[in-house]
Amino acid sequence: MKKQHRDIAKRILRNIPFFGAAVKAMHRAQRRPFKLPPGSICFETSSFCNLKCSYCPQSVEGAIKEKGMMNRETMGRILENIDAKHIRSVGFTGIGETFLNKEWAVILGMVRKKFPAAIISMNTNGILLDYAKFESILENKVDTVSVSLNAVNKERYIQINRADHFDDLVAGIKAIIQRYQSSPAKFTRLQIQLLDTVNSDEEISDFIRKFSITENRYVTFYANPYSNWGGLIFEKKTKEERYPCTHLYIPDVNYRGEVYACGVGHANSDSEFLIGDLTKEPHEKVYQSANFMRLHEANMKGRLEMENKLCADCNSWNRIGNIYFKNPFPFGSKWL
């Protein structure tokens, strides 16, 4: 059969509801690991922090092997190695506090210039956040700033975050919100994070009511569960069947430009999850590395937790819902 006839036949078969889905599934089962890098990336501008929260690797003695700050030169080299068309979302996260880096605003501006259409988010404990910094955030059209308040009262804040900043932090957040609500330049969503692992639903609802700030498009509250950081904080093994871990495709770039396949691998400095260095090689090449291919294939075969102890001990895999389905064919990976 000539190629043009085969193409016509394929188009006809794809329009038959069940058969079309089967053809697509078969192609997906036969494909190699994706050729292009993921559309998300996270940057760590600082691995230092001004807190040692009980749920964070910063609280575990010796967990973070080296600490440092990213400078604009390092970020410049990183950005040169990334094709902007691949990136849809950028996070400023890592295992430190962004605002401890004196060049944070310059670096943020560089990232926004490189990725003008990307969704940008930032995480902070909020201690150093003031309205002057918030204005820089607005200027660079950051989509979401998440402030880790975590607790619903002072006593619990001290228990979780191991410091006494609750009253000042709540007052500071309210002051920013009040000025922001009267500002004509609204773009950024200010998200206040609470931990549902240690705060009940009733306590969270009561706190939001007493906070006296009405939720809207630009101010929201978010209840987040604990991550155990691959067993670094507490062990939590599960017997339920796992689906592929999507965190494997949200890379963490540390302050030196080294790329870890996920934030948990980064927090544990696990060399098995180190997949490249964006100061030395293109983004596409990072995702052709032996480490990434090994992790990706194990993930799609349903063997990630069997082949990696860090994954076996981790409870983060189900914090993102399942976007895969089981392969109905006798060939290819377990998951598609």
Side-chain angles (χ1 to χ4, degrees), residues 49-328:
C49 193
N50 47 0
L51 287 177
K52 288 191 175 181
C53 301
S54 58
Y55 61 88
C56 177
Q58 293 278 0
S59 68
V60 180
E61 191 68 32
I64 302 171
K65 305 294 189 293
E66 296 180 37
K67 293 186 178 183
M69 302 276 191
M70 183 182 288
N71 56 44
R72 66 182 75 187
E73 289 77 21
T74 299
M75 180 56 85
R77 292 197 299 274
I78 290 170
L79 295 178
E80 285 176 359
N81 279 319
I82 301 176
D83 190 336
K85 70 182 180 184
H86 295 318
I87 302 301
R88 297 186 300 276
S89 65
V90 178
F92 281 85
T93 53
I95 50 177
E97 171 56 41
T98 296
F99 294 129
L100 285 174
N101 188 325
K102 293 181 179 180
E103 292 193 299
W104 74 269
V106 175
I107 290 172
L108 173 59
M110 294 169 67
V111 170
R112 174 49 83 198
K113 184 177 180 180
K114 176 73 177 185
F115 310 115
I119 295 170
I120 296 182
S121 61
M122 298 180 71
N123 287 9
T124 175
N125 58 36
I127 294 171
L128 298 176
L129 179 62
D130 54 28
Y131 202 75
K133 292 185 179 69
F134 195 70
E135 284 182 318
S136 293
I137 289 168
L138 290 174
E139 288 171 8
N140 286 288
K141 295 192 178 298
V142 173
D143 293 82
T144 302
V145 175
S146 181
V147 180
S148 299
L149 180 60
N150 299 330
V152 297
N153 56 51
K154 181 175 182 176
E155 292 71 26
R156 190 136 332 136
Y157 183 93
I158 293 172
Q159 175 192 348
I160 298 170
N161 293 1
R162 297 175 176 173
D164 186 3
H165 296 291
F166 184 79
D167 292 339
D168 291 339
L169 187 52
V170 169
I173 292 171
K174 285 185 176 181
I176 289 173
I177 292 172
Q178 286 167 358
R179 287 190 63 178
Y180 185 36
Q181 287 182 331
S182 63
S183 168
K186 288 186 175 67
F187 182 84
T188 300
R189 179 164 59 106
L190 184 63
Q191 180 174 272
I192 302 163
Q193 176 185 286
L194 301 166
L195 292 173
D196 63 10
T197 312
V198 290
N199 302 292
S200 70
D201 292 342
E202 293 76 15
E203 288 174 321
I204 291 173
S205 297
D206 188 52
F207 172 79
I208 293 172
R209 180 177 56 81
K210 290 179 179 177
F211 198 79
S212 302
I213 298 291
T214 304
E215 287 191 87
N216 55 47
R217 180 179 173 185
Y218 302 105
V219 179
T220 61
F221 291 86
Y222 173 63
N224 198 30
Y226 261 3
S227 167
N228 72 347
W229 297 95
L232 193 61
I233 304 300
F234 60 86
E235 289 191 5
K236 186 174 182 179
K237 297 182 185 293
T238 176
K239 293 182 179 179
E240 63 182 301
E241 183 182 27
R242 294 192 180 194
Y243 50 80
C245 182
T246 303
H247 289 282
L248 199 64
Y249 312 105
I250 308 175
D252 250 32
V253 182
N254 71 10
Y255 69 93
R256 289 190 297 260
E258 295 167 336
V259 186
Y260 285 85
C262 72
V264 172
H266 173 201
N268 285 268
S269 300
D270 192 327
S271 60
E272 294 294 306
F273 289 79
L274 182 60
I275 59 176
D277 187 333
L278 280 173
T279 66
K280 300 175 181 177
E281 57 192 333
H283 197 199
E284 292 90 342
K285 189 174 180 181
V286 168
Y287 283 89
Q288 296 168 5
S289 67
N291 261 6
F292 176 73
M293 290 297 188
R294 175 184 56 78
L295 289 167
H296 173 65
E297 291 183 3
N299 199 27
M300 301 312 292
K301 289 178 180 177
R303 299 188 56 82
L304 193 62
E305 71 276 15
M306 302 173 197
E307 297 181 12
N308 298 275
K309 184 180 185 305
L310 193 65
C311 299
D313 295 336
C314 189
N315 74 337
S316 293
W317 63 274
N318 62 0
R319 290 175 67 180
I320 299 177
N322 185 17
I323 60 173
Y324 304 90
F325 59 89
K326 285 188 176 179
N327 183 3

Side-chain angles (χ1 to χ4, degrees), residues 6-22:
R6 286 200 302 271
D7 291 341
I8 292 171
K10 285 179 182 178
R11 284 199 295 271
I12 293 172
L13 291 172
R14 281 176 185 150
N15 288 324
I16 301 174
F18 175 77
F19 196 85

